[in-house]
Amino acid sequence: HVQLVESGGGSVEVGGSLRLSCPGSWQARGTYYMAWFRQSPGKEREGVASIATDGSDFGPVYADSVKGRFTISRDIAEKKLYLQMNNLKPEDTAIYYCAARRFPRIQPLSQDAALSSDEYNNWGQGTQVTVS
């Protein structure tokens, strides 16, 4: 499996932007899912965005709290996963995690499942994002 290491975290002012990235964890054959999660002190881990490899009818899925501000994408050539975060708010402050399913799916995941941490078994160590 691919070792996931997030990059791009840091401190930013309210309304600013950050771009997170991690290695793409997928194979040429099959449908693989990757996602971004975040966790703040005292809160449960929250699914932020999810995306599947080409060939699936599963489109990018976002938590309501980040729709219109965050964009998840994949670079096939470089085999990387990105999360572009714009118009950041203080409530976006959290540790952000890159996650992947190690095995392909035959049936597509539901939107709720794609944003559930139980569906992923390959995790990065997390990167801190602080908005103030």
Side-chain angles (χ1 to χ4, degrees):
H1 64 278
V2 176
Q3 182 177 355
L4 301 180
V5 180
E6 300 91 343
S7 63
S11 298
V12 64
E13 64 184 15
V14 176
S17 299
L18 285 174
R19 189 192 192 198
L20 307 182
S21 66
C22 76
S25 180
W26 59 78
Q27 303 297 318
R29 296 173 56 192
T31 300
Y32 293 83
Y33 287 79
M34 293 195 71
W36 290 95
F37 290 79
R38 67 185 182 186
Q39 187 166 24
S40 300
K43 297 182 179 180
E44 294 184 354
R45 185 167 296 183
E46 174 190 19
V48 175
S50 180
I51 193 170
T53 56
D54 293 343
S56 173
D57 61 358
F58 179 88
V61 173
Y62 300 92
D64 289 340
S65 59
V66 306
K67 286 182 178 178
R69 299 189 298 119
F70 290 11
T71 302
I72 187 172
S73 63
R74 297 180 296 118
D75 188 312
I76 303 300
E78 296 186 0
K79 203 169 184 179
K80 291 184 178 180
L81 180 75
Y82 297 97
L83 182 68
Q84 178 67 46
M85 304 184 293
N86 297 325
N87 192 24
L88 285 162
K89 304 175 180 180
E91 48 265 47
D92 294 320
T93 296
I95 299 176
Y96 283 72
Y97 299 89
C98 176
R101 289 179 59 89
R102 291 182 178 178
F103 307 102
R105 289 278 301 186
I106 297 176
Q107 297 294 328
L109 294 175
S110 67
Q111 293 185 347
D112 289 343
L115 294 180
S116 173
S117 61
D118 291 341
E119 296 292 339
Y120 301 88
N121 52 14
N122 188 13
W123 294 83
Q125 81 289 348
T127 184
Q128 178 70 46
V129 171
T130 302
V131 185
S132 62

